[in-house]
Amino acid sequence: HDSAKLSPSLLLTVEQVADQLQISTRSVRRLRKARKIPQPVLIGSSVRWNEVELRRWVEAGCTIPTSRESDRE
């Protein structure tokens, strides 16, 4: 049987995000604080970014993201 498995690259660390965007981790944290980058998910005390969401943001021209539907509930 096929069981659903999470891809290791599904959730990215701040270091991985910085590497993909070719910026410093400090810049990633600044963008996060300013809400100019898709917001990460928190898993306990770990901060991770959704790789697909980040890729879509880049493909859209790195525009300032709007709040998620789930944020409005």
Side-chain angles (χ1 to χ4, degrees):
H1 79 22
D2 288 6
S3 59
K5 293 182 181 177
L6 287 177
S7 165
S9 61
L10 185 63
L11 296 174
L12 305 175
T13 64
V14 68
E15 292 82 6
Q16 291 169 313
V17 171
D19 186 54
Q20 287 197 11
L21 298 178
Q22 299 180 353
I23 61 176
S24 68
T25 56
R26 186 172 181 182
S27 291
V28 173
R29 289 184 179 102
R30 282 188 196 137
L31 289 170
R32 175 187 175 200
K33 187 175 181 181
R35 297 189 151 299
K36 293 183 178 182
I37 192 171
Q39 291 300 292
V41 294
L42 299 177
I43 303 169
S45 61
S46 298
V47 178
R48 298 291 185 268
W49 277 264
N50 180 298
E51 182 181 30
V52 173
E53 198 174 304
L54 191 66
R55 187 179 307 122
R56 287 182 185 151
W57 175 72
V58 170
E59 289 170 356
C62 301
T63 57
I64 296 174
T66 58
S67 56
R68 297 179 190 157
E69 290 299 319
S70 61
D71 290 348
R72 296 181 204 157
E73 293 177 359

